[in-house]
Amino acid sequence: MQFLTVGDLSTYLKALLESDEILRDLWVEGEIAEFKLHRASGHCYFSLKDAQASLRGVMWRTAAQKLAFMPSPGDLVLVHGYCSIYESRGDLQIYADNIQPAGVGLLHARFEELKARLEHEGLFNLDRKRQIPVLPRRIGIATAPQSAALADMLHILARRCPLVEVLVAPCQVQGERAPESIVEALYQLYSADVDLIILARGGGSMEDLWAFNDEAVARAVFASPVPLISGVGHEIDTTIVDYVADLRAPTPSAAAELATTEIGALAGLIIDARVQLDLAMTEALDVRRRQLSEAMGVVTRADPRRRIARDRQAVDDLGRRIERAVGRTSALHRAELRGLQGRLNALNPRAVLARGYAVVRSAENDRVLTDPAQAPPNTRLRITLRDGDLHATTDSSEEKR
């Protein structure tokens, strides 16, 4: 026999309770016997009772801040959480994370709890929802085989857009195994080459549709690699997958309509697209023509032949300027030459001789005589006239007075 201390027993019972799958996640219905909100810590302490027993409970501040209503003694409530032992007193307690009025029902309470948690994680964020393709090539449908909902969707898809290919992944949509079956069907479609997925089933009670409020199904919808439309139940029915899906359709038939564009409207879209394409091509060609014209202008302006032609013209202009400059210089030099020639002619001794003058030189030393005293009597002279020389001998001389 093994002996345990009280503390050891409390620790053992605590571990035993917290390892139990049922006690780790359960809802408990009961009447609030007492309820106290601790102002300093924000924690809530309460007790539940029914005709057979009572149970202590605690809700920590983080969960208490999210309560939609504050319970009061006498309220019949549903409490969600896990059971464990408060070791210091050895009390069995429920550690609550959600409290709902019992009037809303257990399923609704579970629905609201899961909805709040997934919304907090961001699975419902609008900014992650994708646009539905205008013309899907292949659509995958996860629903019950041989169901009226599937027949309606196939009929609508064939009527609205007969070109689209449909791939059906059959699954159970009601019952205990339905969540697992739906997840398997979705992942089968994820591995297929589809552009869009429809998850659908016909109407029913909240219990009938409960598989679409399953957390595993919601996370599988969130993991879809392509846009996903939910078409579950009737228009008044709302499930968790409706919040996670990229688009919520009120019925399976509406989901099929939202998934496709009617072929008549598609023809109109094609015509509009062609008109837009023609306009875009015209505008693009105009832009290219302007760019080509500008490029040709640049090439033309940069053409070396134009530069050569301009240089040739410049050379011709320079040649004409040189000719004019040479002509003016030549005329100036000729005028200067004529002036020098006139001056030379004026200084030319022969011109003086032509006017009747003569140059008298001594015949002995050829010295020009300018004074009669230079030629005493009997001096032999050579007298140069315009047309020749004369030889003479002085017989006397006379000085100028």
Side-chain angles (χ1 to χ4, degrees), residues 36 71 97 105 113 120 145 150 167 177 214 229 249 260 268 291 300 302:
K36 180 179 180 181
D97 56 33
E113 185 274 331
H120 179 71
L150 177 60
L167 176 63
R177 194 183 172 278
D214 185 84
I229 300 176
T260 54
Q291 292 176 344
T300 300

Side-chain angles (χ1 to χ4, degrees), residues 113-130:
E113 185 274 331
L114 179 60
K115 176 185 173 185
R117 182 154 50 86
L118 297 184
E119 183 176 15
H120 179 71
E121 292 183 26
L123 272 66
F124 303 165
N125 288 351
L126 295 178
D127 56 2
R128 60 158 292 273
K129 295 186 182 295
R130 295 158 292 192

Side-chain angles (χ1 to χ4, degrees), residues 24-95:
R24 283 188 303 182
D25 183 10
L26 79 164
W27 288 87
V28 178
E29 184 179 32
E31 178 185 333
I32 296 289
E34 57 180 325
F35 190 93
K36 180 179 180 181
L37 172 62
H38 197 283
R39 299 296 180 183
S41 66
H43 306 322
C44 295
Y45 301 93
F46 60 93
S47 62
L48 293 174
K49 70 175 184 177
D50 60 13
Q52 287 79 33
S54 66
L55 175 68
R56 290 185 179 274
V58 61
M59 174 178 279
W60 306 127
R61 180 180 60 184
T62 53
Q65 291 174 341
K66 302 176 182 178
L67 282 177
F69 85 109
M70 192 62 64
S72 301
D75 289 342
L76 187 63
V77 296
L78 288 169
V79 179
H80 179 267
Y82 69 94
C83 281
S84 184
I85 292 290
Y86 181 47
E87 294 180 73
S88 63
R89 290 202 304 261
D91 290 342
L92 176 66
Q93 290 190 152
I94 182 168
Y95 292 83

Side-chain angles (χ1 to χ4, degrees), residues 43-266:
H43 306 322
C44 295
Y45 301 93
F46 60 93
S47 62
L48 293 174
K49 70 175 184 177
D50 60 13
Q52 287 79 33
S54 66
L55 175 68
R56 290 185 179 274
V58 61
M59 174 178 279
W60 306 127
R61 180 180 60 184
T62 53
Q65 291 174 341
K66 302 176 182 178
L67 282 177
F69 85 109
M70 192 62 64
S72 301
D75 289 342
L76 187 63
V77 296
L78 288 169
V79 179
H80 179 267
Y82 69 94
C83 281
S84 184
I85 292 290
Y86 181 47
E87 294 180 73
S88 63
R89 290 202 304 261
D91 290 342
L92 176 66
Q93 290 190 152
I94 182 168
Y95 292 83
D97 56 33
N98 192 9
I99 300 178
Q100 296 282 343
V104 301
L106 181 59
L107 289 181
H108 185 68
R110 290 178 179 175
F111 176 90
E112 293 297 332
E113 185 274 331
L114 179 60
K115 176 185 173 185
R117 182 154 50 86
L118 297 184
E119 183 176 15
H120 179 71
E121 292 183 26
L123 272 66
F124 303 165
N125 288 351
L126 295 178
D127 56 2
R128 60 158 292 273
K129 295 186 182 295
R130 295 158 292 192
Q131 293 290 329
I132 304 303
V134 176
L135 185 59
R137 177 181 52 85
R138 197 178 193 197
I139 296 177
I141 300 178
T143 191
Q146 309 302 324
S147 64
L150 177 60
D152 290 342
M153 287 188 290
L154 293 177
H155 174 73
I156 291 172
L157 292 175
R159 172 177 55 81
R160 288 176 60 83
C161 192
L163 299 177
V164 71
E165 182 182 354
V166 179
L167 176 63
V168 178
C171 60
Q172 295 181 23
V173 294
Q174 185 175 339
E176 183 178 350
R177 194 183 172 278
E180 179 185 355
S181 178
I182 293 171
V183 171
E184 291 177 357
L186 287 176
Y187 276 94
Q188 179 184 345
L189 293 176
Y190 295 167
S191 62
D193 183 20
V194 296
D195 304 316
L196 177 66
I197 293 174
I198 299 175
L199 175 59
R201 72 147 284 165
S205 65
M206 189 173 190
E207 291 81 0
D208 294 337
L209 304 178
W210 191 249
F212 297 90
N213 293 320
D214 185 84
E215 182 174 354
V217 174
R219 295 192 182 278
V221 170
F222 182 78
S224 175
V226 296
L228 187 147
I229 300 176
S230 67
V232 178
H234 298 300
E235 187 170 357
I236 60 173
D237 298 320
T238 303
T239 63
I240 293 295
V241 297
D242 292 330
Y243 294 103
V244 183
D246 294 286
L247 180 64
R248 184 246 178 185
T251 62
S253 298
E257 293 187 1
L258 292 172
T260 54
T261 302
E262 193 171 11
I263 195 164
L266 181 61

Side-chain angles (χ1 to χ4, degrees), residues 344-371:
L344 288 174
N345 289 336
L347 297 175
N348 191 353
R350 292 187 179 277
V352 177
L353 295 178
R355 295 199 298 272
Y357 294 94
V359 178
V360 181
R361 294 182 177 83
S362 170
E364 294 180 357
N365 54 22
D366 202 29
R367 188 177 62 179
V368 176
L369 301 179
T370 59
D371 189 345

